[in-house]
Amino acid sequence: MTTKSSQVRNYFKLDLLIARSRVTLCRLFKKRYSLFNNGQVWDDSLTCGTNYVTNVIVKNKKISLTPVQKISVSSGNSDEWDVTTLTTLLLFVDHPKTLSTNEIQQLDQENKLLQQLREIRNKLAHNAIKSVDDAQFNQRWTDLTAILIALGDIDTELDKLKDDSIFESSTQMINDDNVKEALRLNSLATQAHKDGKFSEGITLFTKATVLPGVADHDRAIFFSNMAASRLALYEKQAGPTERFEIEDPMDQRYRALQDAKQARILWSTWWKGHLRVGKVYTALNEHEKAINSFERALALAPTNDDIKKALDESHHILGRQQRQEHLDPESKPKSILEQLNDKKQKFGLNPEEVHKIYKLFREKNPSLADVEKGYKYEHGDNDIKQNYEEAARYFAKAVRQGNAEGMYNLARLTDLGLGVKKDYNLAQNLYEQAAAELPYHSKLYNVRNTGVAEAEHALGLRYAEGVVVNKNLGIAARWYQRAFEHGNIQSGTNLAILYENGSGVIRDLDKAEQIFEQAAKQGDSNAMYKLAILLTRRAKFPMAKIWYDRACKAGHIVAQADRGFEEDLQAKDNIISSFPPDTLPMMDKLFELYSSVKSTTSASTAMNGSDFYDYYMLLEHANCVPYSPPEDFIIKTVDTWTPTDADRIHLEPTQGRRNSHGRSETRYKNGSFRQVLKWDRSLGQYGDGNNAFREPNSVAWLESSKIAVVDTNAHCIKVFHSETGQFEYSFGRGRTLGCQNLLYPYRIAVVPGGNDELVVIQRHPRPQIHVFSCSGEFIRRFGQHLEKPRALTVDQSHRIIVIESQVQKLHIFSLDGKILSFFHLNEHLQFPTSICSNNYEIFISDNHLHTIKVFSYSGQLIREIKEANYITYPTNIKLNSKGQLITIDNHQGLNITVYDEYEQKKRLGAYTARICHSQILDVAIESNSNILHLASKDYRVYTYQLPL
């Protein structure tokens, strides 16, 4: 555990502290039970638990327990209750009216502490990365210990949990004979499990767990193995389809949960223990708790694929359950023929016109026939038996022809494991490919390119739920917006929910109502029902009733089952009607306020917290998915470069503007003085074509006076003359599997030495390295084992150096693709953004640590370059021919800082752009000069000259 970052250790210290609170809460519960029941004692018996459930829990509507929690209470054994169960019972069980004033005051004080404890526990549980910085840790530790001491815990005992020594194996009296016997029993039990003799295995594991003088870590392994055998026994007894809600403490799933939790208690930092708990919760269909356990396991073993797969699976299932997909009649995508039939109904087209148009589509796109076949095999038809494997085969055939509908449907089957092996990563790749296609087939008939909007919606769900990608509601909102604009009604409903709750976007009930209404008018029954609920909250009762009735008529099952909706509506209307007319506006606001029980967080507030992904973290995802341009951008083909006056190239380098005293203009910015620069020239704009970019993610300068620009969403490299900006050629375009083609190229570097060979890395969905000649001829590719390549450089010895984000792994390759070495740098890096080398040292910028770290070629940290106010959020670094370090910082605009060539300790210059650029994505520097070319998020490449 000492190898883990201090932030992860902080999380698990807090987790252990909360786990310790369980003992204090048990003691408090038994004390209250005796107080509320005339001195009766809670004896942890089955009779005690059964009577409590019958007489207290069932009759109290405020107490909400999961089936597992209810079973644990009914068993009577308080040792099996978790912190959530105990706080629920303590907070919501009604006290008798016979209590004295002092006793009631004491209960109120305790309940305030319990509520605070619950809030801290919930924040910790919903911390997806299981990482807490030192400031938060110290504050939460202080709050927690104060609560526990007030509830009767001992402060000196709590202090012991703050030391790193708690993660080490405790000193125990070991009986060597018993250890040997326990290991023998474990081996026999494991073999019995493999042979399918699960009951026998459980018996043997049980014998191993009760032997005294055995180390806790060994016992944790025995308990974890026993939990696996209990789950296997349940699966065998239940069969492939029979699944029942847990009703009995003797249910093997419940007993497996107790075993797995015991393993976790005995070895709190063993990733397999947390993984086992998560798998048991999955079997119990409690995926929210499973996700929490899987996230803990992943924090302890961040590169483990088994954990990632289990986490993705639970996110996926939980999302589908919460969306109630099986109840949504709009969930099935509409084919082109179905869209045309809809237009026939809407515009009165006759059947002959519809078939004529459809025939035209099929002639222009033969892959439609494969998609049709795929649908028939997926659902079955008059002359075709349902066969998912055949459906997948036909969809794959359409994919090879570039059909977006085929891509989306194959992704959907891959997501569900129907006809193909379940693979969330492959599904993600297919969704991204489909989303990159044009959204409409024809301007004449305005028919959607089926599969594009559906894929965009699926990507929104991925980011909303955290499947494969990091959960991020801000990015989810962007995908929902795109999908809704391209005709996916469900995305509109989801987007409106985000605006209603202030999740990932700034809370805006007017906008939520507007989007709900747009989706509802397009026929989404879910939007109708959600709109009715929102209108009720906003005291707009007549329209709420109209939309509720429409939702029921449209077949929305949840609305139809909500029998209390109309009664609630009438009751609220009666309250409003009883007030004078001049008070109605105030009453509307009160209804809106008190109906909004769920707490929300605006985007501006949320981004100030360290647990929220900031703008630079969004960039990490933006590199994996196509960028959504601002609303005022229009995609247009531009083959001739005709710069406007504002963008016209100035071949004479412009110096910084001078003031009346003859000195260059300076600005005091973020605590630093910087000389103001104006760019010399720029090229590009948003769009398709030779002189436009879809996403210029990287740029490199060639000795032949050319600049090569990586256009990620156009899947190609575009080469321009560095002085005139004239387009010369492009290569790598295409999304087929051919080795000469590129799929989402991300970063580019030039091989030093005059030949101008280009090294390109691709990121998600198919990370790898390509090498091209300067003219674009493919030479080789390698590095398919890479996961999240973030940046690369090529040194004077022609070694290719790649740094990966998230896993923080450094790779060094030879130019022919041989792996020379690799190092894990988790201890030193959090969010690497750029890399460069002087042939004996490797420089890596870290955006989150606000620093540049220098490593040897053996992976050892040599030194660190930090300067407050000058290196804040470094995104790009380069070494010029003199060895001077140039840093690019995007904190509140473009900032450039230059350090000297001698260990980069002396600052030579600090500059800022006169205009506020969009995010700078990459920088290239011309050799033997101080001319910089910067690729920007506003689809341009800017050229600056540094006055060094």
Side-chain angles (χ1 to χ4, degrees), residues 627-630 633 683-687 692-696 936-941:
Y627 173 68
S628 178
F633 275 91
L683 65 91
Q685 58 183 304
Y686 182 75
F693 303 113
R694 298 294 299 277
E695 188 178 1
S936 171
K937 198 76 173 178
D938 64 0
Y939 314 100
R940 287 177 170 84
V941 175

Side-chain angles (χ1 to χ4, degrees), residues 477-716:
R478 278 182 19 197
W479 280 115
Y480 289 149
Q481 179 74 43
R482 284 181 56 152
F484 189 44
E485 290 172 354
H486 295 155
N488 187 283
I489 308 173
Q490 293 169 290
S491 276
T493 304
N494 289 5
L495 182 62
I497 291 171
L498 294 182
Y499 276 108
E500 181 181 11
N501 296 329
S503 302
V505 294
I506 296 175
R507 188 168 185 252
D508 188 336
L509 295 183
D510 291 331
K511 192 161 188 174
E513 183 179 330
Q514 176 190 357
I515 298 172
F516 273 138
E517 187 171 349
Q518 288 175 357
K521 286 180 177 178
Q522 294 180 60
D524 185 8
S525 60
N526 193 34
M528 298 175 192
Y529 180 55
K530 297 288 186 184
L531 178 58
I533 294 173
L534 178 59
L535 291 170
T536 303
R537 287 174 53 190
R538 308 192 77 185
K540 300 178 180 180
F541 301 124
M543 286 306 300
K545 178 67 168 64
I546 290 172
W547 282 113
Y548 172 73
D549 290 341
R550 289 179 180 175
C552 293
K553 189 175 180 180
H556 194 276
I557 297 174
V558 178
Q560 293 170 343
D562 189 0
R563 300 181 184 278
F565 182 89
E566 294 183 271
E567 294 178 8
D568 184 47
L569 196 70
Q570 187 60 53
K572 290 178 178 177
D573 195 15
N574 291 339
I575 294 173
I576 289 288
S577 301
S578 65
F579 284 85
D582 58 341
T583 64
L584 288 182
M586 180 183 69
M587 291 303 300
D588 287 355
K589 291 295 181 184
L590 286 174
F591 261 105
E592 185 175 312
L593 176 64
Y594 287 106
S595 295
S596 305
V597 178
K598 183 178 179 181
S599 62
T600 59
T601 306
S602 71
S604 59
T605 304
M607 285 195 178
N608 291 327
S610 62
D611 288 342
F612 196 89
Y613 296 103
D614 61 17
Y615 178 69
Y616 299 100
M617 186 62 82
L618 294 182
L619 287 179
E620 180 73 0
H621 299 296
N623 293 321
C624 304
V625 295
Y627 173 68
S628 178
E631 293 180 0
D632 57 343
F633 275 91
I634 300 174
I635 298 178
K636 54 184 179 181
T637 302
V638 185
D639 285 321
T640 307
W641 186 45
T642 53
T644 62
D645 288 339
D647 290 338
R648 195 168 303 282
I649 287 180
H650 303 284
L651 296 179
E652 293 297 325
T654 56
Q655 302 299 321
R657 191 181 70 184
R658 298 184 178 273
N659 58 25
S660 58
H661 301 288
R663 295 190 302 271
S664 296
E665 179 187 352
T666 60
R667 289 180 187 169
Y668 181 74
K669 184 176 181 184
N670 304 322
S672 62
F673 284 97
R674 294 183 177 273
Q675 183 177 339
V676 178
L677 299 179
K678 183 184 184 301
W679 48 269
D680 293 353
R681 54 188 181 267
S682 75
L683 65 91
Q685 58 183 304
Y686 182 75
D688 293 320
N690 293 335
N691 294 295
F693 303 113
R694 298 294 299 277
E695 188 178 1
N697 250 321
S698 188
V699 60
W701 185 80
L702 285 66
E703 294 285 348
S704 53
S705 296
K706 297 180 176 63
I707 55 172
V709 182
V710 174
D711 195 349
T712 298
N713 285 343
H715 311 282
C716 68

Side-chain angles (χ1 to χ4, degrees), residues 110-121:
E110 290 172 350
N111 283 349
K112 287 180 182 178
L113 295 171
L114 292 169
Q115 190 61 48
Q116 293 170 18
L117 174 63
R118 190 176 189 176
E119 289 173 1
I120 295 173
R121 184 262 167 202

Side-chain angles (χ1 to χ4, degrees), residues 898-940:
V898 183
Y899 294 88
D900 73 357
E901 61 270 34
Y902 300 107
E903 294 194 344
Q904 294 75 39
K905 291 180 179 178
K906 178 183 177 182
R907 177 167 23 90
L908 299 178
Y911 313 95
T912 188
R914 179 174 296 166
I915 64 171
C916 186
H917 284 288
S918 296
Q919 175 73 26
I920 297 299
L921 301 174
D922 195 22
V923 59
I925 184 167
E926 295 189 11
S927 63
N928 302 316
S929 74
N930 292 308
I931 297 176
L932 302 181
H933 302 282
L934 299 101
S936 171
K937 198 76 173 178
D938 64 0
Y939 314 100
R940 287 177 170 84

